[in-house]
Amino acid sequence: MSNFGGRPHGGHGTATIPVIPGERAIQCAHCNCVTRIRRADRIPLPVMGPLTAPFQRARGKKRAVLVGITYAGGMRRGCGELRGPINDVKCMRNLLCQRFGFPAECIIMLTDDQRDPFRLPTKDNIRMAMQWLVQGCSYGDSLVFHFSGIGAQVADDDGDEVDGYDEALCPMDAFQRGPILDDEINEAIVRPLVHGVRLHAVVDASYSATVLDLPFLCRVARNGYWQWEDQRPPSGAWKGTSGGQAVLFSGYSDGKSNFAVMPDAYGSVGAMTHSFVRAVECEPRGVTYGRLLTSMRTIMKCGGGGGYDDLQGPIGAPMQHHQVANFSGVQEPNLSSSEMFDIYRKPFVL
């Protein structure tokens, strides 16, 4: 990695971590901690240009980006690789194609078992895929973003987080390039959504409850009902769309609880992805968001922390008896959105 300067990391004496052009945060390879780069220390990066050839592909009205990262080779030092994310991507692809009619050629899958360098879930490829997903979106488009892997937190420095922390997703090269912060994700796939465009995101990672930086959060209250919370930034920064709608299915996680790794379970799937796919498969078409969330919550509590279940794998190749691995430590599903709506009446539609 080229040395473009560095930021001191207190946990390792006088050691510095190199700063990469265009990045807002860096991640330590020794302790996995994420450090925000001060604005004064950031190195500008030219605006991303046109999509490269590998991402200039079919662009139907229904399209999706699915990312699954096992971090084989050292991301999770001392903990082993995750065994569920690649199967999560296969299950999501099957669900989208078989139940919702997404054309296979309009789905980009980025997993770290790929031989094609443009299909590896590096930071640049994820950025390019997000750009492909929303570029030129128009009325009637249905877009899906799915991520299964590791999440992180970093202290907020611009006053746009209610809890004082930015959430982030870790690409396979996070140690070299740093994580992707929620600010950037919001800019990339939320703000470009024009009127009549729907984006649904499903994120199976720790610290992912508000990783799209959407202004409204819906989670179950003490009375057992789903309730909205206003998460608009104290700074007044706009985090909404350009007229479209964005919805995120994720989960509450403190990054510690119920964390599990299945080192030898070939058929593992993540608990968050499993609860979403199973709930959609079990509920009738036209199910409301509220009922879908309740079904996810039941599945997660009954079988999302290490049990077995049957999910569809690649198209035409069912994979039976998946081991549910709660590698993200998700304890409760929740939903965030660019706008509030009646959770018990609005039907879930992709």
Side-chain angles (χ1 to χ4, degrees):
M1 176 167 45
S2 300
N3 190 351
F4 295 99
R7 289 283 294 139
H9 185 60
H12 303 288
T14 59
T16 60
I17 305 175
V19 174
I20 306 299
E23 306 306 344
R24 306 178 187 184
I26 46 183
Q27 188 161 17
C28 176
H30 297 283
C31 67
N32 287 353
C33 289
V34 176
T35 302
R36 180 179 287 278
I37 301 171
R38 294 181 307 189
R39 291 179 183 273
D41 293 334
R42 294 178 189 171
I43 302 173
L45 184 70
V47 177
M48 185 177 291
L51 292 171
T52 57
F55 291 93
Q56 294 175 349
R57 56 184 297 166
R59 292 180 51 80
K61 299 297 285 182
K62 292 187 174 185
R63 52 191 183 270
V65 169
L66 314 178
V67 183
I69 315 177
T70 67
Y71 307 94
M75 172 66 191
R76 288 172 40 77
R77 297 198 173 179
C79 300
E81 64 185 87
L82 303 182
R83 293 290 184 177
I86 292 177
N87 284 329
D88 286 349
V89 164
K90 293 175 180 177
C91 291
M92 282 293 295
R93 180 178 184 268
N94 184 66
L95 180 75
L96 294 177
C97 291
Q98 297 293 346
R99 188 174 178 95
F100 296 105
F102 277 62
E105 64 272 16
C106 294
I107 298 177
I108 288 180
M109 298 170 60
L110 303 179
T111 56
D112 50 359
D113 64 344
Q114 301 272 7
R115 294 185 178 181
D116 182 348
F118 291 101
R119 290 295 175 262
L120 291 172
T122 63
K123 190 168 189 175
D124 283 343
N125 285 347
I126 294 174
R127 282 171 163 169
M128 196 73 72
M130 290 193 296
Q131 182 183 356
W132 168 86
L133 183 66
V134 302
Q135 190 176 67
C137 62
S138 60
Y139 187 92
D141 283 359
S142 178
L143 315 177
V144 172
F145 177 77
H146 171 247
F147 180 92
S148 180
I150 293 175
Q153 271 188 326
V154 58
D156 174 41
D157 72 344
D158 53 12
D160 68 350
E161 297 289 343
V162 173
D163 63 358
Y165 289 92
D166 280 308
E167 288 72 41
L169 301 179
C170 297
M172 66 177 291
D173 56 352
F175 285 153
Q176 293 77 33
R177 299 295 308 277
I180 305 176
L181 297 182
D182 52 7
D183 295 333
E184 178 180 352
I185 298 171
N186 182 276
E187 292 172 9
I189 62 175
V190 173
R191 297 189 204 180
L193 302 177
V194 298
H195 177 67
V197 177
R198 298 189 311 272
L199 168 72
H200 286 88
V202 179
V203 176
D204 197 339
S206 53
Y207 304 114
S208 63
T210 58
V211 76
L212 261 63
D213 249 6
L214 297 172
F216 302 102
L217 176 67
C218 186
R219 52 187 168 190
V220 70
R222 291 184 178 180
N223 60 9
Y225 290 94
W226 298 95
Q227 294 184 356
W228 288 103
E229 299 175 8
D230 190 340
Q231 296 280 312
R232 283 176 289 188
S235 65
W238 175 249
K239 294 292 185 175
T241 69
S242 297
Q245 183 181 23
V247 173
L248 167 66
F249 288 92
S250 59
Y252 166 76
S253 168
D254 57 12
K256 303 174 183 178
S257 304
N258 300 327
F259 194 90
V261 176
M262 302 297 173
D264 299 312
Y266 171 77
S268 296
V269 290
M272 181 67 203
T273 302
H274 168 265
S275 68
F276 176 79
V277 173
R278 173 53 75 205
V280 172
E281 289 179 339
C282 293
E283 294 292 344
R285 293 183 184 274
V287 61
T288 65
Y289 283 89
R291 179 164 174 173
L292 186 62
L293 281 168
T294 299
S295 181
M296 288 175 62
R297 186 168 184 252
T298 300
I299 292 168
M300 195 173 290
K301 288 185 175 297
C302 294
Y308 284 93
D309 208 342
D310 295 342
L311 287 179
Q312 295 294 307
I315 296 175
M319 296 193 299
Q320 303 295 323
H321 300 296
H322 283 73
Q323 178 76 42
V324 180
N326 195 0
F327 53 77
S328 60
V330 172
Q331 297 153 283
E332 290 272 358
N334 55 229
L335 179 146
S336 56
S337 176
S338 56
E339 59 190 50
M340 288 191 288
F341 55 88
D342 190 334
I343 203 87
Y344 291 105
R345 291 194 178 189
K346 185 169 183 174
F348 168 72
V349 179
L350 282 185

